[in-house]
Amino acid sequence: MFIAFEGGDGAGKTTQIELLRERLAAVGYDVVVTREPGGTELGADIRQVLLHGGDVAPRAEALLFAADRAHHIATVVRPALRRGAIVLQDRYIDSSVAYQGAGRELDPLEIKRLSLWATQDLVPDLTVLLDVTPQDGRRRRGQVHDRLESEQDDFHARVREHYLQLAAAEPGRYLVVDASLPREEIAAIVAERVGRP
Ligand code: Z5A
């Protein structure tokens, strides 16, 4: 089972992934927790360039996220899924569609196609969308902002809106949760949806 966690920055993805990992591991599942960008050695270098380097042109940014993803899916995620593990992943294709497609105003459909090519069409079984407002996300992040987090609130508002559109288009494959709920409440909603895989 492949579960992706998506949402604006500061939405609480890392927190929820850890809570779900604990729950699944406690009943004996082989659980792999990973993330994009940066889930591999190559990805760590790409992450550094993308989030903490200098200027990157929007199309170069889209290609670098897709390159990280291609390597990550081929070398970490597909092998884990093949051996029967549950993969909990912090960000996936929808991050590119929302941030590069809607945020940077590249064509979201082209961005999606690029990532589907990169991953040979691997689609999550479930995507948990933690819906956070740009203001709440900014407050939770505190003073430290990477290159994308430094974008203005209207950028993050476009990202949020596009995420919600993606979820509305495929309600069977998405779980949308209000990220302002208490941690344990969100964890219970996610656990109920995941059930016993
Ligand atoms: N990006 C992209 O543009 N295109 C792509 O294709 C991909 C990514 C894959 C990666 O950032 C950046 O790359 C991201 C999108 C872009 N940038 N932006 N903007 P990252 O991986 O470094 O960070 P992030 O994904 O934005 O996550 P984060 O900031 O680390 O947040 P989070 O994992 O969603 O949340 P958290 O660490 O669990 O929680 C944040 C804080 O809130 C923390 O203090 C928690 O204790 C607190 N928290 C968590 N849950 C709650 C609740 N329920 N209530 C109150 N407080 C809470």
Side-chain angles (χ1 to χ4, degrees):
M1 192 175 194
F2 180 28
I3 306 177
F5 285 72
E6 296 277 3
D9 21 297
K13 301 180 302 302
T14 312
T15 303
Q16 292 305 321
I17 287 173
E18 179 52 23
L19 291 171
L20 183 58
R21 185 198 66 75
E22 280 171 14
R23 194 180 285 256
L24 293 171
V27 286
Y29 286 105
D30 174 4
V31 185
V32 172
V33 169
T34 188
R35 68 169 179 178
E36 291 182 1
T40 62
E41 210 176 307
L42 171 64
D45 290 342
I46 296 176
R47 181 182 174 90
Q48 182 63 25
V49 170
L50 276 167
L51 301 186
H52 307 294
D55 184 40
V56 184
R59 281 168 190 268
E61 182 180 283
L63 288 165
L64 284 166
F65 277 116
D68 165 70
R69 182 163 299 132
H71 186 64
H72 179 232
I73 294 301
T75 63
V76 174
V77 176
R78 281 199 187 272
L81 293 173
R82 269 200 295 271
R83 70 162 196 265
I86 298 175
V87 176
L88 305 182
Q89 182 164 320
D90 196 335
R91 297 196 178 280
Y92 188 47
I93 294 178
D94 290 351
S95 285
S96 284
V97 176
Y99 281 83
Q100 281 64 57
R104 294 278 186 238
E105 300 183 89
L106 298 172
D107 180 343
L109 205 58
E110 284 186 356
I111 296 294
K112 183 176 179 185
R113 284 201 196 108
L114 177 67
S115 273
L116 286 174
W117 179 82
T119 63
Q120 297 179 286
D121 298 322
L122 183 67
V123 174
D125 299 295
L126 173 68
T127 295
V128 177
L129 172 57
L130 297 174
D131 180 39
V132 70
T133 63
Q135 295 74 20
D136 277 357
R138 189 172 291 276
R139 191 161 32 75
R140 283 189 191 171
R141 281 197 316 268
Q143 296 307 313
V144 187
H145 304 300
D146 63 36
R147 206 173 57 77
L148 277 126
E149 287 168 350
S150 308
E151 290 292 336
Q152 299 300 312
D153 277 359
D154 64 333
F155 174 96
H156 292 288
R158 284 198 299 280
V159 169
R160 180 188 182 203
E161 187 52 37
H162 202 82
Y163 267 134
L164 291 170
Q165 284 175 23
L166 291 173
E170 274 185 273
R173 210 178 54 70
Y174 283 81
L175 172 67
V176 183
V177 190
D178 178 354
S180 69
L181 293 171
R183 291 170 182 78
E184 292 301 337
E185 206 172 309
I186 298 173
I189 293 169
V190 173
E192 191 187 327
R193 174 65 178 264
V194 170
R196 288 227 167 170

